[in-house]
Amino acid sequence: MRQRFTARAVVVGDRSGTVVTDAVVDVSDGLVTWVGPAADAPPADDAEQVAVPGVLMPGMVNAHSHAPMVLFRGQGEGLPLERWLHEVMWPREARLTPDDVEVAMTAASAEMLRAGVTTSVEMYFEAERIAAAVGRTGARAVIAAPMVPLPGMPPLEEQLAAAVALADGAPDDGTVEYGLGPHAAYTVPLPLLREAAGLARDHGMLLHLHVAETATEGADLLAAHGLSVPALLASHDVLGGRVLAAHCVHLDDGDLELWQEYDVAVSHCPASNAKLASGVARLRDMLDRGIRVGLGTDGPASNDGLDLLADARLAAQLARLRESSATALTAAEALWLATGASAEAIGRPDLGQVAVGRRADLVHVDTRDLGFEPVGDPADLVTHLIWSGASRLVRDVWVSGRQVVADGICTTVDADALRVDVAQRAARLAGA
């Protein structure tokens, strides 16, 4: 199948904010084969013609999510992380069924697609049900099967073995990838973290865990072991391979040096960190040191949304406030964090940019809106994408060239029916 997309402009999704005006994107069998100005485009008489009036940008990559927690959106409002987990989240999660997870993930996936997010890294229970959900919506997921010591869960050793076994069953089309998701160094015993890391390296799997999210977490581990969280992980041979560390709010210079040394990638979650008052990560310092950083929403119970473009704007705002500099994070860098940088952070060079050889995950943002005027320079389009609330203007989305959102509506599932189903399940889990 060949397609030719024409658009007012293509925003590539690279760090410099490259914009191609009066643009053409050619797609063949789900891959981008040509990008450039229409005047230079090769012949494509046999291709399906897809003309959009606005901007095409890459499908965004959510580098840290617990998306089925749409069932708990807004619950535990105002509580700090530790109380929020122990008093609200974990008791509700103990009542979850596999059907709950699949329905919730389907709804969350549709919500993300409508906001231009085509790939998410999911750390949540029932990994195969999560895979089934994105199979229904047409999205992609990297599923870090969780390891967490909760009542009713199998022993951690069994959780690890089951997670590793999933890897062999992943499809080869890039839609679903399985990884390992040990929750954190303060919940999973260090010997088991070491074993999980070794297995992840052996199988080429992503190892995804929470690191230094709160000051209390680091202080408790420092008191117990005399080491910061990153140093503790390094001393137990957890680092190395494809390691993606979520949050990383409370890191000192020595910790950042370890992240450089072991090429640890970071999922930056500014909205969740702000809502739970966890702190503001040292984003500019990470980027300046060459640390790979992607952008994540975290769960929709601690954000409370799944709007990654809104989080890109917040990432820029918080970075500028932290550094007292209006140049601390540019609009181009903020958009890159949600696209190309997130793809790099999760080890998926096939995603995150509108570039030859990458998968044709494309998002059409309608620029026929007052929020997109004026445009005196092509770079203004990137500026407006970040600062003007552009996710409301996402009209169409394609994943590997297959349209999954048309005129703002998810075409693969019934969003209204899902909304009713999620509401009923959430009431049951809350004990209502």
Side-chain angles (χ1 to χ4, degrees), residues 158-309:
E158 292 182 20
Q159 294 181 39
L160 175 57
V164 173
L166 287 172
D168 293 334
D172 59 5
D173 59 1
T175 54
V176 170
E177 176 187 350
Y178 292 106
L180 300 181
H183 179 260
Y186 68 92
T187 51
V188 178
L190 290 166
L192 202 59
L193 273 178
R194 180 201 298 266
E195 183 180 355
L199 288 168
R201 290 192 290 267
D202 291 344
H203 292 268
M205 301 170 76
L206 183 75
L207 183 78
H208 187 34
L209 71 167
H210 300 82
V211 175
E213 182 175 359
T214 67
T216 304
E217 169 194 338
D220 290 347
L221 288 170
L222 181 65
H225 301 278
L227 295 170
S228 68
V229 183
L232 190 62
L233 295 174
S235 71
H236 283 76
D237 198 27
V238 176
L239 307 182
R242 292 175 63 194
V243 178
L244 179 65
H247 299 288
C248 297
V249 175
H250 299 277
L251 302 186
D252 62 22
D253 288 346
D255 297 328
L256 294 181
E257 289 171 6
L258 282 172
W259 265 203
Q260 285 178 275
E261 178 183 348
Y262 288 96
D263 191 27
V264 174
V266 172
S267 301
H268 177 45
C269 303
S272 175
N273 295 341
K275 183 173 184 284
L276 295 175
S278 299
V280 181
R282 297 173 58 183
L283 177 59
R284 185 71 259 166
D285 290 341
M286 293 178 190
L287 295 177
D288 288 346
R289 291 170 181 264
I291 294 170
R292 291 176 295 128
V293 181
L295 193 65
T297 60
D298 204 5
S302 61
N303 183 305
D304 287 353
L306 291 165
D307 185 344
L308 198 63
L309 204 51

Side-chain angles (χ1 to χ4, degrees), residues 15-388:
R15 189 169 188 170
S16 61
T18 300
V19 177
V20 180
T21 56
D22 189 19
V24 162
V25 178
D26 284 341
V27 174
S28 181
D29 295 328
L31 297 176
V32 177
T33 57
W34 196 86
V35 182
D40 300 333
D45 295 337
D46 61 339
E48 175 193 357
Q49 303 292 316
V50 184
V52 299
V55 166
L56 281 175
M57 61 174 282
M60 287 178 281
V61 178
N62 186 344
H64 180 62
S65 176
H66 315 283
M69 294 180 79
V70 292
L71 291 165
F72 314 123
R73 197 193 309 260
Q75 303 304 297
E77 166 61 23
L79 293 178
L81 178 65
E82 290 81 2
R83 289 188 59 198
W84 179 79
L85 286 172
H86 287 89
E87 297 176 20
V88 181
M89 292 300 112
W90 287 346
R92 283 168 169 76
E93 287 177 331
R95 295 192 283 271
L96 278 172
T97 68
D99 283 348
D100 290 335
V101 173
E102 184 169 341
V103 167
M105 184 66 213
T106 305
S109 181
E111 180 180 343
M112 284 190 279
L113 286 172
R114 289 189 305 182
V117 177
T118 53
T119 302
S120 62
V121 177
E122 297 297 339
M123 181 193 286
Y124 211 65
F125 314 107
E126 304 292 344
E128 291 175 292
R129 291 299 194 100
I130 291 174
V134 297
R136 287 179 62 193
T137 64
R140 303 185 191 278
V142 179
I143 306 168
M147 296 167 53
V148 59
L150 291 178
M153 294 285 290
L156 287 171
E157 293 80 5
E158 292 182 20
Q159 294 181 39
L160 175 57
V164 173
L166 287 172
D168 293 334
D172 59 5
D173 59 1
T175 54
V176 170
E177 176 187 350
Y178 292 106
L180 300 181
H183 179 260
Y186 68 92
T187 51
V188 178
L190 290 166
L192 202 59
L193 273 178
R194 180 201 298 266
E195 183 180 355
L199 288 168
R201 290 192 290 267
D202 291 344
H203 292 268
M205 301 170 76
L206 183 75
L207 183 78
H208 187 34
L209 71 167
H210 300 82
V211 175
E213 182 175 359
T214 67
T216 304
E217 169 194 338
D220 290 347
L221 288 170
L222 181 65
H225 301 278
L227 295 170
S228 68
V229 183
L232 190 62
L233 295 174
S235 71
H236 283 76
D237 198 27
V238 176
L239 307 182
R242 292 175 63 194
V243 178
L244 179 65
H247 299 288
C248 297
V249 175
H250 299 277
L251 302 186
D252 62 22
D253 288 346
D255 297 328
L256 294 181
E257 289 171 6
L258 282 172
W259 265 203
Q260 285 178 275
E261 178 183 348
Y262 288 96
D263 191 27
V264 174
V266 172
S267 301
H268 177 45
C269 303
S272 175
N273 295 341
K275 183 173 184 284
L276 295 175
S278 299
V280 181
R282 297 173 58 183
L283 177 59
R284 185 71 259 166
D285 290 341
M286 293 178 190
L287 295 177
D288 288 346
R289 291 170 181 264
I291 294 170
R292 291 176 295 128
V293 181
L295 193 65
T297 60
D298 204 5
S302 61
N303 183 305
D304 287 353
L306 291 165
D307 185 344
L308 198 63
L309 204 51
D311 288 5
R313 174 173 57 185
L314 183 60
Q317 291 169 326
L318 292 178
R320 294 179 182 197
L321 282 172
R322 180 184 175 91
E323 307 300 330
S324 298
S325 169
T327 61
L329 194 76
T330 67
E333 285 180 311
L335 188 64
W336 167 69
L337 284 176
T339 54
S342 269
E344 293 172 17
I346 70 172
R348 289 294 298 269
D350 57 326
L351 307 176
Q353 289 190 27
V354 185
V356 172
R358 303 220 181 191
R359 299 187 189 272
D361 297 357
L362 305 172
V363 174
H364 167 221
V365 179
D366 191 347
T367 58
R368 297 171 301 181
D369 186 89
L370 287 173
F372 267 87
E373 297 298 343
V375 178
D377 183 273
D380 292 342
L381 292 170
V382 177
T383 299
H384 298 335
L385 281 170
I386 291 300
W387 297 111
S388 296

